[in-house]
Each structure stands twice: as structure tokens, then as C-alpha cells.
Amino acid sequence: RDPQPPARPGSRWRVEIVPGVGLPFAKVGQTLPQIEAAVGPATVADASRALWDGRSLPFATYFDDRGRVRVVEVYGVEDVNEQVTLDGVQLTLRLIDDVEADLSRLGRRGRRAGPLVDFPEGFTLWSLGELFASDLTPGALFDPSDDRPVVEGVAIVAQLGRY
């Protein structure tokens, strides 16, 4: 089983995505029983999806008609010391423009479509618009004119030909 690291004030745990593959404990192409053997039972599951929302980083999987994972999605959570990273770059709970710029400096360039940035390596950054830039700074006042999107989650999908 994949143990949950203990939350320690002032520390930051990272879960590194693997583009086109998934998370260390949930991968494209796996079945629900395989993932549950690694991390425990899903909070909610049916034939099309499963959700683990009792973790410090909640995640979901979406299944194809053969019962294999086609998408792994992981969500950033405020006030949690664990975040999603890629190549050491924090992806979740940051301004989408900043994350896109950091990944671009590493040679990863995505295609922007509104609150989404889709990367050909097999992952997408997304924002639902539920978090605001002011949410990222403790004590900051809400500024209704600041509509910069915040990365709230990452979806990982198989690259063409890999699944």
C-alpha cells in the first residue's frame, strides 16, 4: 500500500506526475483492483470512475469500456502540505501563467484553451475557477478584478500509441 506521508507543519510533500502514465500509485491502463491494492478502497466507484477523496491529495480515475484507466486526475487542496509536481515544478495551487512559464523554461510547451493548458506529453493543467489568485496568499483580500486562473488539478492521459 502507498502510505500517506504525515503532514508536518512547514514541510511540503510532493507527488510527481509521470506524463502520459499517471501517478506513482495510479496509472493509465490499470484496473480498479490494481489501484485499490496499492492505496486502499476508493471512496466512490462505479464502472466509469473511481474517487479517492480521503487522501491529502484527492485523485480520481476514469475507466474505458474494458475497465482500464484512461485518465488519472489529481486535485490540489488548500491548506495541505502535499502538492503535485513535474520535474520539480509545483503544478497545483499556483497561477496557471506561472506554471506554464516554468514548464516552458524546461522545454515543455502546452496549448492554452481558456482555463486549460494541454501538453502533448500526456497531461493537462486545469482550473474550474473555484480558487482565485488572492486564495494563494494568506491574508490577502479578494480582488474581483484579478481573474487570473489558478491550477486546481492535473489530468494525465496516455500518449497516442502507449495505451
Side-chain angles (χ1 to χ4, degrees):
R1 287 169 93 81
D2 172 52
Q4 284 280 327
R8 296 184 311 193
S11 69
R12 189 160 290 270
W13 295 91
R14 296 185 283 184
V15 172
E16 186 87 0
I17 70 163
V18 180
V21 176
L23 302 169
F25 44 82
K27 296 175 178 60
V28 171
Q30 286 186 310
T31 63
L32 178 60
Q34 288 173 314
I35 296 170
E36 288 184 326
V39 299
T43 309
V44 176
D46 60 32
S48 64
R49 67 182 174 89
L51 171 66
W52 287 262
D53 68 356
R55 298 177 60 89
S56 57
L57 274 181
F59 72 97
T61 55
Y62 298 87
F63 302 102
D64 64 15
D65 58 357
R66 300 174 315 165
R68 300 228 172 248
V69 174
R70 61 181 176 79
V71 177
V72 177
E73 223 171 42
V74 61
Y75 314 99
V77 178
E78 289 181 278
D79 302 323
V80 170
N81 285 330
E82 189 174 8
Q83 294 303 327
V84 181
T85 61
L86 174 60
D87 298 333
V89 172
Q90 181 179 330
L91 303 178
T92 50
L93 302 184
R94 292 183 60 212
L95 295 175
I96 206 164
D97 292 337
D98 294 347
V99 174
E100 195 174 7
D102 286 350
L103 292 174
S104 180
R105 280 191 281 282
L106 296 175
R108 295 185 183 274
R109 289 177 177 71
R111 183 176 47 86
R112 184 80 173 259
L116 304 172
V117 183
D118 191 30
F119 291 83
E121 297 95 332
F123 69 100
T124 300
L125 308 174
W126 53 264
S127 175
L128 295 175
E130 293 179 5
L131 293 176
F132 300 93
S134 59
D135 293 328
L136 302 179
T137 306
L141 296 175
F142 174 67
D143 178 357
S145 67
D146 188 352
D147 60 355
R148 296 174 295 165
V150 173
V151 178
E152 296 175 52
V154 181
I156 303 112
V157 299
Q159 288 179 293
L160 290 176
R162 285 188 66 188
Y163 170 60

